[in-house]
Amino acid sequence: MTESNGNGSDKPASGAPKGPITDTMAKPLAKRFYKDVTVGEGAFFQILLDGRVVRTPGKRALLLPSRTLADFIAAEWQAQGAAINPGIMPLTRFANTAIDAVSDAQKEVANDIAAYAGRDLLCYRAVAPPELTRLQAASWDPVIHWAREALSAHFTVVEGVMPVEQPVLTLKKFSAALEPHDAFKLTALHVLTTLTGSALLALAYARGFLPSEDFWTAAHVDEDYQIAHWGQDEEAAHRRVLRRQEFDAACRLLASLQTDEQPRI
């Protein structure tokens, strides 16, 4: 059985990821070189292109932990036209990142997520107008209370944007909630955290406290308030569409890992 490195040829992919979370498929578009896409089963799941095993840009085996994730990624490969466009293959990109980058830096990635919790969006509230303060409280207070009950993590909430130091024990409790470390789960959580600015929302979603739509809404309380009152320009609207696409893909990645055999993190 021959192998494909996932970039449109059988040659080794050059270069290595420069950080824990990086787009490992940022390459010129290659022509589609395969007809059939199937899923190989074993201890892990693999993507087969005309029977050839897909490998990551780092030349590692693209071993996937769940059939659901493998089916999603196979569908991305099958949906390609004459050229292979990584921009519309988010789950493939995330899987490559998990294997090539995050697997070698799991502690560092977990620490970065916990650092976001130390300056979490949900902990900084508007002073005015009253309508916005009410919207923030309605969306964010339940998650703060959830963290207190589910994680024993007591986050300090302040008005304004001046930095506040969260209790050391609170951040330790949050960090402990990310264990045991897993490259695929950390990849999804890191993407969701950096997209929204809230590690608390990301973990609450991962634990099943929030559905994805409530997660997205809570992360955009301030932005939605501004749009409702001042409107939104075309460029900002386009950026939001792209963020939503990445958000939905990261949610699918996380959900695909949470099978009956794999409990929620």
Side-chain angles (χ1 to χ4, degrees), residues 210-223:
L210 287 177
S212 61
E213 197 60 38
D214 289 354
F215 179 4
W216 176 264
T217 299
H220 292 82
V221 168
D222 292 357
E223 183 177 318

Side-chain angles (χ1 to χ4, degrees), residues 84-122:
I84 301 172
N85 181 4
I88 57 173
M89 303 173 73
L91 290 172
T92 302
R93 291 187 284 110
F94 294 160
N96 286 337
T97 296
I99 294 167
D100 280 349
V102 179
S103 64
D104 295 331
Q106 294 185 50
K107 183 177 180 180
E108 291 84 351
V109 174
N111 287 344
D112 196 40
I113 295 170
Y116 270 88
R119 55 183 187 274
D120 205 272
L121 167 72
L122 274 56

